Amino acid sequence: MTVNGEFNHDMRRVPTGEFMTPSRKTNGVGVQAEDTKICVVMVGLPARGKSLIAQKVVRYLHWLSIKAKTFNVGQYRRTNTPNPSADFFDTSNSEGERLRRAAAEAAVNDMCKWFAEGQGLIAILDATNSTKKRRRWIQERCDAEGIETLFVESKCDDEDIIMSNILEVKTTSPDYVGQDPESAAQDFRNRIRNYERVYQTIDEDEFDLTYVKLIDVGKHVIINQIQDYLQSRVVYYLMNLHIRPRSIWLSRHGESQYNLNGKIGGDAELSERGEMYARALPGLVKQSVGDSRKLTVWTSTLRRTIATARFLEFEKLEWKALDELDSGVCDGLTYAEIEERYPDDFKQRDEDKYNYRYLGGESYRDVVIRLEPIIMELERSENILIVTHQAILRCIYAYFMNVPQERSPWMEVPLHTLIKLTPKAYSTQEERLKADIPAVSTFREKGSSAKHQEAA
Ligand code: ATP
Ligand code: F6P
């Protein structure tokens, strides 16, 4: 953690504020934000994962400080028709058609208003948008408002996947509250049949549109007319998604000599208790993972994570991007020493921990940017165990659990604890397994004294 090159004090703070608002600045991920407005238009039959994709894209963009919002036409439709039966979606049902059209218009109107008020950069219009006519209408509406469109079609004809999607999320949808799951599933299949009668996949007639077609959950991907950096970023993210069941395990390294002394950063060895955690970790992992599952272990390039993972009998990979937040000139100091030597900085960090950049070091915002390839790789992968550091773990955890920036740097992540995250359809499940090995607490609460405290 050396301090190289020149820097000046003003460079340490990046623009504050929760999210990037449109201006000729970059938010550190290279986004040319001025005037950018993109409507991601979902396309596909029901139960093709459109809402799940929309929700994941929004979470990913928020994590990158790009303000995004989903406009779900189903939610607008529920205001006039909360519990429709399959007949409602039959195109020969003129009242149904009228109400569905009204819902789509209300969503598009609200989306245009949202853009016009400068509230964000990317909107996701989540609906089936299953006919060429409907897509053309959206395209023209967006063109008139200076909004770029990116159509994202999810096409999947695998009956087993569709059936399991229906059972996983549709029978518990608000459309079917109080109904028995079997009749809900049957009705939903009839709903799909009604859509199938009119559904038009995106084809050569629509070559002028910007689109990505994800076929069979991304096994095959077709991309057309991608215009700019932000669009290609979203497309790349979509190409990496999969829905195979898996979990991600997160652990901090075992207690280090620096942790014992209350010092931050560095490349210290494990303490005696940290060493005990390293020896206990294979058992803890076995307890949580079971015998059959294969996993890959990722560590940082620092000694304390490598030593912690060394008894795990799995393939291992070291990532520089997983190294702890660089605390620059404060590396090797205790919080109390930082408060004494750099009182203004100490205060500034408390005021805005996410954006505060250590002199010659990094901020949490910087860390998120360098972790982006890790997130992308995690999305592509199956079972991964990451042994890393407090700040890094907070950022990865924040991505999966959708933790806002003002909270993520302040989350308590105890040592000697294995966290298991399991992505589900619309959320991520969490379990924690604590090793029975004491460790100091390295957590310092906002506004608290900088005094180092031994854990109970
Ligand atoms: P609706 O049109 O009724 O709103 P939808 O297309 O939005 O349906 P979701 O509610 O998102 O469908 O369905 C979620 C289910 O889809 C989950 O079970 C998820 O595993 C699965 N899924 C996610 N991505 C895909 C995909 N690309 N293709 C097929 N299924 C997927
Ligand atoms: O104290 C352990 C540690 O991993 C330090 O090396 C690092 O600077 C710190 O945690 C990050 O946590 P915070 O951002 O709360 O200071």
Side-chain angles (χ1 to χ4, degrees):
M1 313 278 177
T2 50
V3 185
N4 291 322
E6 283 187 6
F7 56 83
N8 71 45
H9 240 68
D10 296 339
M11 284 165 57
R12 284 183 296 144
R13 287 186 70 89
V14 290
T16 51
E18 218 189 315
F19 292 107
M20 191 64 185
T21 46
S23 75
R24 176 58 76 187
K25 287 188 180 127
T26 99
N27 67 352
V29 280
V31 178
Q32 285 301 321
E34 189 185 41
D35 295 337
T36 305
K37 295 175 193 163
I38 302 173
C39 172
V40 175
V41 187
M42 300 308 299
V43 174
L45 289 167
R48 264 59 182 182
K50 299 181 301 296
S51 298
L52 176 138
I53 294 168
Q55 181 226 324
K56 284 197 76 151
V57 169
V58 167
R59 176 156 62 83
Y60 166 70
L61 293 170
H62 279 180
W63 186 73
L64 287 172
S65 302
I66 298 169
K67 192 156 186 194
K69 185 173 172 179
T70 299
F71 293 82
N72 179 295
V73 174
Q75 274 170 20
Y76 285 81
R77 185 263 301 149
R78 256 174 231 120
T79 60
N80 58 41
T81 318
N83 307 109
S85 72
D87 301 342
F88 179 79
F89 300 93
D90 182 338
T91 45
S92 63
N93 174 345
S94 56
E95 182 58 1
E97 280 289 277
R98 190 185 67 75
L99 291 167
R100 286 166 61 199
R101 170 87 193 185
E105 276 171 7
V108 170
N109 288 342
D110 279 358
M111 177 188 78
C112 291
K113 191 160 163 264
W114 182 78
F115 275 128
E117 286 167 353
Q119 295 202 57
L121 306 182
I122 302 196
I124 322 260
L125 187 62
D126 183 13
T128 55
N129 300 317
S130 49
T131 63
K132 291 181 184 181
K133 191 172 162 218
R134 169 62 58 89
R135 296 195 283 273
R136 203 45 82 184
W137 169 71
I138 296 168
Q139 165 81 17
E140 284 165 6
R141 239 351 262 280
C142 287
D143 281 353
E145 305 271 343
I147 302 165
E148 295 170 26
T149 45
L150 166 61
F151 290 83
V152 175
E153 179 173 4
S154 173
K155 199 165 180 323
C156 176
D157 299 320
D158 182 325
E159 270 304 315
D160 291 342
I161 295 185
I162 304 312
M163 205 50 222
S164 89
N165 290 354
I166 292 174
L167 295 176
E168 188 181 7
V169 293
K170 297 305 170 191
T171 54
T172 51
S173 143
D175 284 356
Y176 294 111
V177 274
Q179 288 194 35
D180 127 78
E182 218 168 284
S183 60
Q186 187 51 49
D187 184 80
F188 200 82
R189 286 166 74 162
N190 292 339
R191 182 192 295 196
I192 296 177
R193 300 285 166 262
N194 278 331
Y195 272 101
E196 278 169 346
R197 289 195 189 106
V198 291
Y199 178 58
Q200 295 168 302
T201 187
I202 299 179
D203 64 17
E204 47 293 347
D205 296 348
E206 293 173 290
F207 262 175
D208 59 314
L209 299 185
T210 293
Y211 66 79
V212 52
K213 273 176 88 153
L214 305 164
I215 301 166
D216 291 336
V217 204
K219 268 196 207 135
H220 184 51
V221 179
I222 300 168
I223 297 172
N224 189 60
Q225 306 261 26
I226 300 303
Q227 313 278 348
D228 56 32
Y229 177 77
L230 201 45
Q231 288 186 2
S232 61
R233 193 92 180 198
V234 172
V235 170
Y236 185 56
Y237 179 72
L238 294 173
M239 285 169 65
N240 283 302
L241 301 181
H242 71 78
I243 53 169
R244 293 182 295 280
R246 53 88 173 257
S247 295
I248 292 139
W249 287 266
L250 304 172
S251 172
R252 290 179 64 188
H253 52 78
E255 181 189 73
S256 73
Q257 293 294 347
Y258 261 34
N259 294 150
L260 269 184
N261 301 327
K263 293 180 181 192
I264 67 164
D267 191 11
E269 306 279 2
L270 295 181
S271 72
E272 222 171 278
R273 297 187 299 196
E275 188 62 28
M276 281 164 68
Y277 180 67
R279 287 178 196 282
L281 192 54
L284 212 59
V285 170
K286 192 169 168 194
Q287 203 182 325
S288 177
V289 178
D291 280 326
S292 54
R293 280 206 269 185
K294 242 184 81 172
L295 55 86
T296 307
V297 180
W298 295 356
T299 67
S300 73
T301 63
L302 297 172
R303 283 191 284 210
R304 54 197 187 276
T305 63
I306 296 170
T308 304
R310 75 188 189 282
F311 300 111
L312 292 162
E313 288 180 353
F314 297 108
E315 189 194 334
K316 292 185 195 103
L317 206 61
E318 287 172 23
W319 292 81
K320 181 90 182 118
L322 289 174
D323 285 1
E324 181 54 305
L325 180 148
D326 184 347
S327 41
V329 296
C330 294
D331 189 69
L333 302 182
T334 64
Y335 290 125
E337 286 165 341
I338 299 172
E339 188 176 23
E340 195 187 311
R341 290 191 207 175
Y342 305 100
D344 289 346
D345 283 76
F346 191 78
K347 206 163 143 268
Q348 275 178 31
R349 190 163 198 257
D350 257 17
E351 277 163 13
D352 186 1
K353 195 171 177 189
Y354 189 84
N355 286 300
Y356 172 83
R357 181 181 287 153
Y358 277 110
L359 203 52
E362 290 178 301
S363 63
Y364 273 81
R365 183 181 290 277
D366 295 330
V367 167
V368 160
I369 291 157
R370 81 158 136 100
L371 282 176
E372 207 259 353
I374 297 275
I375 293 299
M376 210 56 96
E377 199 52 34
L378 272 177
E379 285 295 352
R380 294 162 54 80
S381 308
E382 300 205 352
N383 297 309
I384 304 285
L385 162 59
I386 306 179
V387 182
T388 184
H389 307 266
Q390 178 160 259
I392 305 300
L393 202 150
R394 282 177 178 144
C395 295
I396 297 174
Y397 181 95
Y399 167 76
F400 283 103
M401 302 305 281
N402 214 0
V403 183
Q405 291 170 3
E406 56 286 0
R407 207 149 54 76
S408 59
W410 293 107
M411 282 185 299
E412 198 167 353
V413 190
L415 286 163
H416 301 178
T417 305
L418 184 64
I419 302 174
K420 178 183 180 185
L421 300 180
T422 307
K424 294 282 171 196
Y426 297 144
S427 61
T428 305
Q429 236 176 35
E430 176 181 348
E431 288 166 49
R432 289 190 183 208
L433 211 56
K434 212 169 155 29
D436 191 16
I437 302 165
V440 289
S441 167
T442 59
F443 179 62
R444 196 189 71 78
E445 224 174 302
K446 185 176 176 134
S448 68
S449 100
K451 204 172 167 307
H452 172 58
Q453 283 172 347
E454 177 86 4

